[in-house]
Each structure stands twice: as structure tokens, then as C-alpha cells.
Amino acid sequence: MLKLFRKLGEQLFCLSQLKGAGVGPNELVRLYRTCIQPITEYACAVFHDGLPVYLSRELETVQKTAMGIIFQCFLYEEALVKTSLVTLSDRRQARLMDKLFKKILENKRRLQA
């Protein structure tokens, strides 16, 4: 996990450097969604239910930090609304539920065929 958080720290540093260079919020959000968020979700299907609370909070801190870099004048919750993002925990849960229901529907269709 230490390696994961080190990589996330490097990505957040790049995000802050780009913000300082004048890159706009839309592009920074796009960068977050494509380069940082996937790292926070790596193997979430495997570890979600067994993820300790402290690690879940650490991962959420990464998203909070990114939103703070991008939107310095907004609270975390306001930044989530502005970007149409949800908390990482909610996102992990939604992705797991989507996959589970898709598998159930696929199995039901196979049984009916």
C-alpha cells in the first residue's frame, strides 16, 4: 500500500504543478479522472469489503486533496457536486453492485435460453 500512496502523491504533485501553470479546472478534473482515480480504485472488487476503515479514509483523503487543489474556494462536498463525482467509497460500492447485478442478469438469461 505504501507504494500505491507514493504513486498517488506523485500524481497529486503533478496536478498541483499543472494548476500553478494555469491549466483550467475542467482539464484538471479530466486529469484526475483519468490518471488518479483509477489508481484509487485498483482492485476494488477484491478488497472493498475487507478494506480497513483507515485505508478507506486515506484513499478518500487523496480525492479530497485533489479537489482542494482544483477548487481551492469550494468545500469538498461542493467540489464533488460541481464535478459530478461521489465519494470513493460510494463509487466502489456502486461499481461492485453494478457488476453483481449484471452477472445475475446474465446468469438468468443463460438459464432461460
Side-chain angles (χ1 to χ4, degrees), residues 32-95:
Y32 169 77
R33 285 186 167 169
T34 57
C35 296
I36 299 173
Q37 194 175 43
I39 298 170
T40 65
E41 296 176 342
Y42 179 74
C44 73
V46 175
F47 66 73
H48 177 62
D49 289 334
L51 188 65
V53 174
Y54 78 96
L55 286 177
S56 181
R57 287 183 185 146
E58 288 289 325
L59 288 170
E60 197 65 43
T61 299
V62 170
Q63 183 164 282
K64 284 181 184 180
T65 303
M67 293 300 107
I69 291 168
I70 298 169
F71 302 105
Q72 294 173 341
C73 299
F74 292 103
L75 296 173
Y76 177 57
E77 293 77 17
E78 294 171 332
L80 291 180
V81 170
K82 188 167 179 61
T83 58
S84 301
L85 291 172
V86 296
T87 64
L88 292 176
S89 178
D90 289 347
R91 186 169 161 86
R92 285 192 302 269
Q93 189 64 38
R95 290 183 79 192

Side-chain angles (χ1 to χ4, degrees), residues 3-39:
K3 192 173 186 178
L4 173 79
F5 285 108
R6 185 177 302 130
K7 185 172 186 173
L8 287 167
E10 291 170 359
Q11 295 292 326
L12 289 172
F13 177 75
C14 289
L15 190 71
S16 67
Q17 293 296 305
L18 289 169
K19 170 77 175 189
V23 175
N26 291 337
E27 290 77 18
L28 294 173
V29 170
R30 191 172 309 125
L31 176 73
Y32 169 77
R33 285 186 167 169
T34 57
C35 296
I36 299 173
Q37 194 175 43
I39 298 170

